Amino acid sequence: MTELNSGVRKKTGFIGRAITLILVFVVGLVAGMTVGVRNEILNKKGDVNIARVINLYSKTRSPDANFNQYWEVWDKLKTRYVNQPVSDVDLYYGSIQGMVAGLGDPHSVYFPPAKAKEFASDLSGEFEGIGAEIGMKEKELIVVAPLAGSPAEKAGIKAKDWIVSIDKKETFGMSLDDAINKIRGPKGSTVELSVLHENSKEPVNLSIVRDTINVPTVTFEMKEKNIVYLRVSYFNENTADEFDKAVSSIMTKFPKGIILDMRGNPGGFLDRSVSVASEWISSGVIVKEKFVDNEVNDYTAKGKHRLAGIPTIILVDEGTASGAEIVAGALQDYGAARLVGKKTYGKGSVQDFEPLPDGSAIKLTVAKWYTPKDRAIDGKGIEPDIVINEMFVQTNKEDKSATPKYEDLGLAKALELLK
């Protein structure tokens, strides 16, 4: 699964932000092109014309970087690299990828056209892979959370697992984008992962068969004493409609309390998160979005607020990230819910996903999120009101031949608090 981060905002037009740092030919493509620049570097079909790119460079200069060296390297690759010919287009896209990677932010990524199409399809809620949210922490590859029912979860992948190798290739020094591309693949194919579980000393080798991942984002069931168990596993394009239908059905049952389970929820679209939180919050700010220029966007409650006033417990863990942290943080700040479980992941940054004219796209971190009470989410996470360090315990350890059975301590605690 691509890193669906989780704070992604899709855009369809050009953003008009000016970029002062010009890396050769990419001023317009990376941050939104003016009509003049587009006309200079695109041919009649809308494709990049390398000759025009080189001509554009002759008109640009930066006092902080010697771009002559860039072109010296370009010429060496074109003339001295052993496997000729070298593709101008491959060098072009590779250059932009390298520039974005220079930010040192694993969530900011440039996608060449084919990869951009894959990422966009992931956001729609269906993709082929193992079904796990992958992130970077302390420069190491880490599992944010496996999706419920996914090949990753069935193989034993857990939140906070370190991925040591992919198909026997060590991940140390590997970029997040490269790792994702190696893990994902067509349905029926196999990927070999070596993972180190939390508190383990030796990694385990797992062979995982990729599949088509359909993400059922919202499910619910009635528990004893008219308490609703409501599971939200992800925030994708379908979540708002699925959640609306679920709540409509729930309200016909006159619930006494609600258990909102967002354990292992890696986030997704910002507006879906705001819509979900708004069902509990009648008015006020859901999340604050702070930009580099001190601009602040407040996303306020919207919708029907049908769950406002109903006692609610939210189950969270270290795999609860991004948009799920927005919901948890907002309901906690307003006293609309108590949080039970472990501290959340701490992914509170915002990415713009912008398609570009040639079919490529850029996902760029442009802001950070804060709760209504101005608590930072990014790198901090949300602390639960009641801590449960071990959510699931095996109840039949003594019987070595039996299939392991587990008790959900988080769910049990939530039911106890709502009775």
Side-chain angles (χ1 to χ4, degrees):
M1 175 181 178
T2 299
E3 185 222 5
L4 296 175
N5 297 272
S6 22
V8 174
R9 303 188 306 179
K10 283 178 84 172
K11 304 181 84 174
T12 55
F14 298 110
I15 56 177
R17 299 190 180 97
I19 299 287
T20 56
L21 177 59
I22 302 173
L23 178 56
V24 193
F25 43 76
V26 296
V27 54
L29 289 180
V30 174
M33 299 188 293
T34 65
V35 174
V37 171
R38 292 202 306 272
N39 290 339
E40 286 204 55
I41 69 173
L42 301 180
N43 61 26
K44 293 181 180 179
K45 295 181 180 180
D47 299 325
V48 174
N49 185 316
I50 297 298
R52 291 184 180 181
V53 164
I54 295 172
N55 181 57
L56 175 64
Y57 168 65
S58 69
K59 303 176 183 179
T60 63
R61 290 292 186 271
S62 167
D64 300 318
N66 181 4
F67 288 114
N68 288 328
Q69 181 171 312
Y70 175 90
W71 289 110
E72 287 175 11
V73 174
W74 179 286
D75 290 340
K76 288 181 187 295
L77 298 180
K78 293 287 292 180
T79 59
R80 298 185 60 191
Y81 180 60
V82 65
N83 295 324
Q84 294 289 340
V86 173
S87 167
D88 284 346
V89 174
D90 288 346
L91 293 183
Y92 168 71
Y93 286 130
S95 297
I96 306 178
Q97 285 178 298
M99 177 176 63
V100 177
L103 295 172
D105 174 15
H107 304 300
S108 293
V109 181
Y110 174 79
F111 301 98
K115 294 297 189 297
K117 185 177 180 181
E118 289 177 359
F119 186 81
S121 68
D122 288 354
L123 291 176
S124 70
E126 181 177 304
F127 53 91
E128 292 183 351
I130 68 170
E133 173 77 4
I134 307 299
M136 194 74 74
K137 210 162 193 178
E138 298 175 0
K139 299 184 179 180
E140 298 284 353
L141 202 63
I142 191 173
V143 175
V144 177
L147 296 180
S150 66
E153 184 186 59
K154 292 175 181 177
I157 295 287
K158 302 175 182 178
K160 296 182 75 173
D161 280 352
W162 297 101
I163 300 179
V164 179
S165 68
I166 305 169
D167 287 332
K168 296 183 170 55
K169 184 173 182 179
E170 291 186 5
T171 59
F172 182 78
M174 187 181 294
S175 72
L176 181 60
D177 190 36
D178 284 345
I180 290 167
N181 290 334
K182 292 181 186 301
I183 292 173
R184 69 175 302 147
K187 176 181 178 179
S189 61
T190 301
V191 61
E192 302 283 344
L193 299 183
S194 178
V195 302
L196 182 65
H197 296 311
E198 187 180 17
N199 299 323
S200 295
K201 295 181 179 180
E202 296 293 332
V204 295
N205 297 319
L206 302 174
S207 180
I208 306 175
V209 179
R210 301 178 178 100
D211 201 352
T212 299
I213 310 298
N214 293 292
V215 183
T217 62
V218 182
T219 58
F220 79 93
E221 62 179 285
M222 299 302 298
K223 296 291 186 181
E224 56 196 74
K225 297 188 177 180
N226 228 34
I227 293 172
V228 177
Y229 171 79
L230 177 59
R231 167 74 179 160
V232 180
S233 59
Y234 187 63
F235 293 98
N236 69 9
E237 289 184 346
N238 304 320
T239 303
D241 288 340
E242 291 180 12
F243 194 78
D244 178 68
K245 292 176 182 176
V247 173
S248 294
S249 180
I250 287 170
M251 295 309 293
T252 65
K253 305 178 188 304
F254 304 100
K256 176 185 175 183
I258 296 172
I259 300 169
L260 175 60
D261 189 351
M262 293 194 298
R263 291 174 294 185
N265 183 325
F269 285 129
L270 169 63
D271 61 343
R272 272 60 169 182
S273 303
V274 173
S275 294
V276 168
S278 295
E279 287 290 357
W280 280 270
I281 300 171
S282 299
S283 63
V285 173
I286 301 295
V287 63
K288 300 177 182 180
E289 196 175 59
K290 298 186 180 182
F291 296 83
V292 66
D293 57 2
N294 295 321
E295 176 189 354
V296 179
N297 284 347
D298 288 343
Y299 291 85
T300 56
K302 58 183 181 180
K304 303 172 184 177
H305 324 299
R306 290 166 290 183
L307 304 179
I310 299 177
T312 299
I313 301 295
I314 301 178
L315 298 177
V316 296
D317 63 10
E318 63 271 39
T320 305
S322 189
E325 292 177 285
I326 287 176
V327 177
L331 268 63
Q332 187 182 54
D333 276 5
Y334 282 103
R338 284 181 288 176
L339 273 55
V340 172
K342 298 182 183 180
K343 185 172 78 168
T344 64
Y345 182 79
K347 198 281 180 182
S349 58
V350 186
Q351 284 72 44
D352 270 347
F353 179 73
E354 183 186 5
L356 299 172
D358 61 344
S360 64
I362 185 170
K363 179 166 70 74
L364 183 66
T365 299
V366 296
K368 291 188 176 182
W369 285 328
Y370 293 77
T371 72
K373 289 187 176 180
D374 221 32
R375 292 185 292 161
I377 295 175
D378 198 53
K380 305 289 186 180
I382 304 294
E383 294 281 357
D385 299 293
I386 300 173
V387 176
I388 298 180
N389 288 317
E390 190 174 11
M391 285 282 195
F392 299 92
V393 294
Q394 187 175 345
T395 57
N396 61 342
K397 284 184 179 181
E398 293 78 13
D399 190 350
K400 303 298 181 181
S401 61
T403 300
K405 294 181 181 179
Y406 294 90
E407 180 183 0
D408 186 342
L409 297 184
L411 178 58
K413 185 64 176 179
L415 287 168
E416 174 190 325
L417 292 170
L418 289 173
K419 288 179 180 177

